[in-house]
Amino acid sequence: MRCADCGSKLYFCTSRDSADGRRDHFVCSNYKSSTGSCQIHYIREQTLYRRVLECVQQTLTYVRLFRDDFTQEMLLQDEASRKAELAQKRKALSGAQKRMEDLDKIIQRLYEDSVLGRLSEMRFQKLSAQYEMEQEEIRQLSAALEKEIAEGFEQVSDVGQSLQLAEQYSEIQELDASTVK
């Protein structure tokens, strides 16, 4: 969790109040007892728990009442994130292919320098081995990226699983670790 004002992490704190008993809460890590740059921001654990439960219940009600709209939204979100991921992988693949071309040119120049006597045989062997190893790593990376890109086109969103979970928890009255997960 993050502080709404400064974006710093909120840390769990526990304390005892003589009148009410326990007062567990989360406090902004940037507060540091008036020495940080943020004012004291905290939220009681009970308040957070109630707010999260309300949000989950409202979301589940929305899913039940507007099943078709929810399905469309999920499909659009999934498609947008998949497109962004594919674009990133294509960019990485393009960069790898460009580096492969550059390495081919470098190796060719190394060979020419070695043949013309501008580079010792030992130095040529060392540099050549390094560039060959880098090329092999790039080949493997390129193959993996090409496979991921091809598989990315075949992925289908599983909105049905989300709808099934919404039905399973439709009458949720209490949060636990497995529910929030």
Side-chain angles (χ1 to χ4, degrees), residues 27-91:
V27 68
C28 177
S29 63
N30 203 16
Y31 170 62
K32 296 183 181 111
S33 302
S34 299
T35 60
S37 60
C38 193
Q39 300 297 317
I40 186 164
H41 292 112
Y42 73 93
I43 185 168
R44 289 198 177 114
E45 181 184 33
Q46 287 181 330
T47 304
L48 178 64
Y49 178 89
R50 282 194 313 268
R51 297 289 302 235
V52 170
L53 180 60
E54 288 170 9
C55 183
V56 168
Q57 289 170 334
Q58 289 172 353
T59 302
L60 292 172
T61 300
Y62 171 80
V63 171
R64 266 195 329 273
L65 296 175
F66 302 102
R67 189 180 193 97
D68 292 339
D69 292 340
F70 173 77
T71 301
Q72 283 297 95
E73 288 176 25
M74 289 289 290
L75 289 171
L76 289 173
Q77 270 185 349
D78 187 56
E79 183 180 349
S81 67
R82 196 170 41 234
K83 281 183 181 179
E85 186 179 333
L86 284 173
Q88 183 180 10
K89 288 178 182 178
R90 283 188 188 119
K91 185 177 179 181

